[in-house]
Amino acid sequence: MKRLTSGDPDLDRVLGGGFPRNANVIVMGGPGSGKTVLAEQMVFANAGDRPALYLTTLSEPLAKIVNYLQEFAFADLGRIGNEIVYESLAEVLSEDADALLAHLTGLIQQYRPGVIVIDSFKAVGELFPDARAWRVLVFELARLLSAYDTLGLWIGEYSPESVTALPEFAVADGIVSLQRHQRGTRDERLLKVIKLRGSDFLGGEHVFEITANGLRTFPRLVAPAAPSAYDPVAERVQTGIGGLDSMIESGWLRGTTSLIAGPSGAGKTMVGLHFLRQGVIDGEPGLLVNFQESPIQLERSIRSLGWDPESLLGPDRLDLLYRAPVELQIDTIVREMYRRFENNGVRRLVIDALGDLEKSALDPRRFTEYLYVLTQEVARRGITTLLILKASPAHDATGSDRLGRDASNMSDNVVLLTMDLGQELIRSIRIVKTRGSSHVGRRQALRLSTEGVFVGERL
């Protein structure tokens, strides 16, 4: 099947390779959801051997659409009038259906477009009080576009209820829904393919952004395909913490995920930093995904341990992915993590902390699904991972709440850090779970100093 690009490679992935060329697709959504941006982006991405035809109706005036178009990097205004033609249907809409169809036929015969956009298609339908006449017009238009091997994009501010109520949805070959939701102080945009005849596509909701380059889609995560054969590697990874490796034979098994849980001040972040620094020493690039400590604060922590930030930090050594908690969006964070996995050859990963990442998800169930997919993906890539979880001192962190239970179940190893807040502060560490490995289960002292983190005597 021949396809046309949407102008966004990741959206093309969602669509199974792009829009089928000889199809009529409804792009629906509320005001400001990004419908027109998607249509214009697609027009500029496909116009060339065959021009693209953009028809406005009774929504935004043609001059305003072209004016706003200049804000996007994909818009080469020199192509307008030749490869890309803008026309208004406002005048002919005052006539009957036959006149409108004849006018559209004339435009298509004149320009032979590869893509034709009608914006807003819904506004045209509202001018036809006769439902039968509108259904006939929609059918004839679909047949006309198919005859000329043209992709039609029908744009409209349709509501979800319209999908089962209006005839254009039955006639259309594809339906793409764009939504915009207010999440606290920020907007969240979601894209969903409802229908795409003759084509496989990635279902579910996908986050997207509107940038200066147009739409940028973040396809939802799916679990990696199970390998036909699995040959586990029994290689051990050193933790970088004195005394800890001997508690887990000689280190974590490569590609495993470990949950490090404990209250504030117990040493969770320090454990993660030592683990990543040991990776740099061993020639294993690491990635720290951090939502609390800014790069300046992180550098201060590194210097307090007597380490040199200049020799430690860098994409090929210890890379930092920092996002402020108020700006988190789980799809963008995870996709950026995947990108750095590929580009930097990441072998060690620390996420600090899971609670912050969970808040960036739309709902707890969605976060649990993402966490499962992530743990499967790092295992497939052989990336040894530490997940840091802040837990109440009064609980063991693995059963005190849903997040703790889910993270514990998905992790290969679980390590609990505790604090005795008596007259003297005593920190301790205890390994309560390891898969495929034996471990020392007793509680040991955990020492934090300017010289680093060490596991001491039994408590």
Side-chain angles (χ1 to χ4, degrees):
M1 179 184 294
K2 295 182 179 180
R3 295 178 181 270
L4 297 180
T5 178
S6 65
D8 175 15
D10 286 315
L11 178 53
D12 289 345
R13 286 179 50 212
V14 172
L15 295 166
F19 286 107
R21 189 172 74 176
N22 190 15
N24 295 295
V25 179
I26 292 177
V27 180
M28 59 181 286
S33 58
K35 303 181 300 299
T36 298
V37 175
L38 173 58
E40 290 177 327
Q41 175 177 305
M42 188 165 181
V43 160
F44 276 86
N46 290 283
D49 295 336
R50 296 176 64 183
L53 186 57
Y54 200 110
L55 304 177
T56 63
T57 58
L58 297 178
S59 51
E60 288 187 283
L62 178 57
K64 185 178 290 187
I65 288 180
V66 176
N67 185 49
Y68 289 148
L69 180 64
Q70 302 177 54
E71 302 297 322
F72 294 98
F74 62 76
D76 181 359
L77 300 187
R79 301 172 67 190
I80 296 178
N82 183 18
E83 296 179 16
I84 301 166
V85 180
Y86 284 84
E87 293 275 355
S88 174
L89 297 179
E91 293 186 6
V92 73
L93 288 177
S94 60
E95 304 180 39
D96 58 19
D98 291 339
L100 175 59
L101 190 62
H103 184 73
L104 290 172
T105 302
L107 290 173
I108 293 172
Q109 291 176 342
Q110 178 183 353
Y111 295 107
R112 303 283 174 146
V115 179
I116 182 170
V117 178
I118 303 179
D119 186 2
S120 157
F121 196 74
K122 181 174 182 288
V124 178
E126 291 171 344
L127 296 178
F128 285 81
D130 186 341
R132 182 179 181 279
W134 173 238
R135 180 179 289 273
V136 171
L137 176 61
V138 170
F139 174 78
E140 292 297 336
L141 176 60
R143 187 166 64 173
L144 173 66
L145 296 178
S146 297
Y148 285 91
D149 194 24
T150 298
L151 171 65
L153 288 184
W154 302 344
I155 312 299
E157 295 178 358
Y158 295 102
S159 65
E161 295 76 19
S162 303
V163 176
T164 57
L166 299 179
E168 52 262 47
F169 288 92
V171 173
D173 303 297
I175 304 171
V176 177
S177 172
L178 306 183
Q179 304 170 33
R180 180 181 181 184
H181 300 289
Q182 188 74 25
R183 305 289 181 187
T185 58
R186 62 182 173 86
D187 282 346
E188 186 154 75
R189 300 176 185 272
L190 299 173
L191 179 149
K192 183 175 183 179
V193 180
I194 300 175
K195 170 184 177 182
L196 200 59
R197 281 189 185 128
S199 176
D200 192 16
F201 59 88
L202 183 58
E205 295 180 330
H206 312 276
V207 169
F208 73 94
E209 297 177 340
I210 297 179
T211 70
N213 294 317
L215 258 71
R216 183 187 181 194
T217 309
F218 300 88
R220 68 175 181 85
L221 296 186
V222 294
S228 56
Y230 178 63
D231 185 17
V233 178
E235 182 183 356
R236 295 280 174 173
V237 173
Q238 291 187 318
T239 64
I241 298 172
L244 180 56
D245 290 345
S246 61
M247 296 178 66
I248 42 177
E249 297 189 14
S250 58
W252 302 124
L253 284 170
R254 182 172 299 283
T256 57
T257 295
S258 302
L259 176 66
I260 312 296
S264 295
K268 301 183 299 299
T269 299
M270 296 289 280
V271 168
L273 288 177
H274 278 68
F275 173 73
L276 292 172
R277 176 176 178 266
Q278 185 64 44
V280 175
I281 294 173
D282 294 341
E284 298 182 353
L287 174 62
L288 173 60
V289 183
N290 188 281
F291 309 118
Q292 292 293 336
E293 293 189 24
S294 68
I296 295 176
Q297 292 171 307
L298 175 64
E299 185 173 327
R300 187 184 303 129
S301 297
I302 291 174
R303 291 189 184 279
S304 71
L305 293 167
W307 304 341
D308 178 24
E310 284 73 21
S311 61
L312 188 60
L313 300 176
D316 59 341
R317 300 184 296 279
L318 198 172
D319 194 16
L320 174 64
L321 173 55
Y322 169 75
R323 294 289 187 275
V326 296
E327 298 296 333
L328 290 182
Q329 209 299 319
I330 190 169
D331 297 82
T332 60
I333 289 291
V334 176
R335 284 296 170 188
E336 179 62 19
M337 288 168 53
Y338 278 28
R339 187 187 71 82
R340 299 196 190 193
F341 291 169
E342 293 286 348
N343 294 347
N344 302 338
V346 171
R347 304 298 292 159
R348 298 191 181 205
L349 169 67
V350 174
I351 299 179
D352 189 3
L354 283 184
D356 296 313
L357 191 60
E358 182 190 34
K359 294 175 184 176
S360 69
L362 292 176
D363 58 68
R365 185 180 65 179
R366 191 164 185 250
F367 175 76
T368 301
E369 293 171 352
Y370 270 46
L371 185 59
Y372 171 78
V373 173
L374 178 61
T375 56
Q376 296 300 307
E377 181 65 22
V378 294
R380 184 184 72 85
R381 293 175 179 266
I383 299 174
T384 313
T385 302
L386 300 188
L387 305 176
I388 293 177
L389 174 65
K390 180 181 178 182
S392 167
H395 297 90
D396 68 359
T398 61
S400 58
D401 58 20
R402 182 203 50 76
L403 177 57
R405 291 192 299 271
D406 289 345
S408 175
N409 292 336
M410 296 180 199
S411 299
D412 301 293
N413 315 298
V414 177
V415 179
L416 300 182
L417 306 184
T418 58
M419 293 192 299
D420 183 352
L421 303 177
Q423 290 184 345
E424 180 183 356
L425 175 61
I426 300 176
R427 295 182 176 89
S428 66
I429 182 171
R430 187 173 190 176
I431 301 175
V432 298
K433 171 186 174 182
T434 57
R435 285 187 182 135
S437 177
S438 62
H439 67 273
V440 175
R442 62 178 177 267
R443 192 159 61 101
Q444 302 279 105
L446 187 68
R447 309 294 186 187
L448 274 63
S449 70
T450 55
E451 297 180 357
V453 180
F454 306 89
V455 175
E457 70 277 7
R458 175 178 178 178
L459 292 177

